[in-house]
Amino acid sequence: MQIPASLTSIGINAFYDYHDSSSTIPSFITRLTFEENSNCSWIDHCAFYGCSSLTSVSFPSSLTTIGYEAFNNCLNLSSIRWDAWNGNIIFQSTPFNGVCQDGGTVTVTNPIDDTHNSAALLAYLKQNSGLPSGWRVAED
């Protein structure tokens, strides 16, 4: 699923438990990406809670806040990419609690500066967002 550049936020429960094949909306979101020059700054509470088919997320540099439990229980989420992570993302409680417990990867592309690299992002996510301790930095 690609989020249009014009969208500024994703609302509460927008895709909550979105894995039912009988849904009238296309189901089984496996990847979440954002259009180039995205204006999305906020992903609200429980926006993707329980999306068990979601395996990867690629966040835009415009994102500033992720609400509590936004990606909780996305059991197969195993890859998080952040474009130009700058170290000031606000996590409201634990937005990644319950994601892939067997380990995953985190990647940063085009970092704003060298002090905010993949290792720093991973440490930040583990400390502030509920990301499991088994996750690792993607190898080049």
Side-chain angles (χ1 to χ4, degrees):
M1 165 183 276
Q2 186 172 59
I3 304 297
S6 59
L7 194 69
T8 58
S9 66
I10 299 173
I12 294 173
N13 298 332
F15 298 96
Y16 184 94
D17 218 13
Y18 192 60
H19 63 271
D20 180 3
S21 61
S22 65
S23 173
T24 57
I25 303 170
S27 61
F28 299 111
I29 300 170
T30 58
R31 294 183 330 131
L32 177 63
T33 60
F34 292 77
E35 252 180 14
E36 191 173 336
N37 299 317
S38 175
N39 290 303
C40 187
S41 63
W42 182 283
I43 296 176
D44 219 329
H45 311 317
C46 300
F48 293 92
Y49 185 106
C51 290
S52 59
S53 297
L54 185 63
T55 60
S56 68
V57 177
S58 182
F59 293 119
S61 58
S62 58
L63 191 65
T64 60
T65 307
I66 299 179
Y68 70 86
E69 299 185 348
F71 292 90
N72 277 25
N73 293 329
C74 292
L75 303 175
N76 292 300
L77 180 59
S78 60
S79 179
I80 297 173
R81 176 182 291 280
W82 223 291
D83 291 333
W85 177 69
N86 60 14
N88 66 353
I89 301 301
I90 297 169
F91 295 116
Q92 297 180 330
S93 189
T94 54
F96 294 106
N97 194 35
V99 300
C100 183
Q101 299 294 316
D102 294 333
T105 59
V106 64
T107 303
V108 178
T109 57
N110 303 318
I112 290 174
D113 64 55
D114 290 338
T115 62
H116 296 110
N117 58 23
S118 293
L121 172 59
L122 182 59
Y124 186 82
L125 288 168
K126 285 179 178 180
Q127 182 178 13
N128 298 294
S129 74
L131 194 69
S133 61
W135 278 48
R136 62 195 176 284
V137 172
E139 296 180 20
D140 293 330

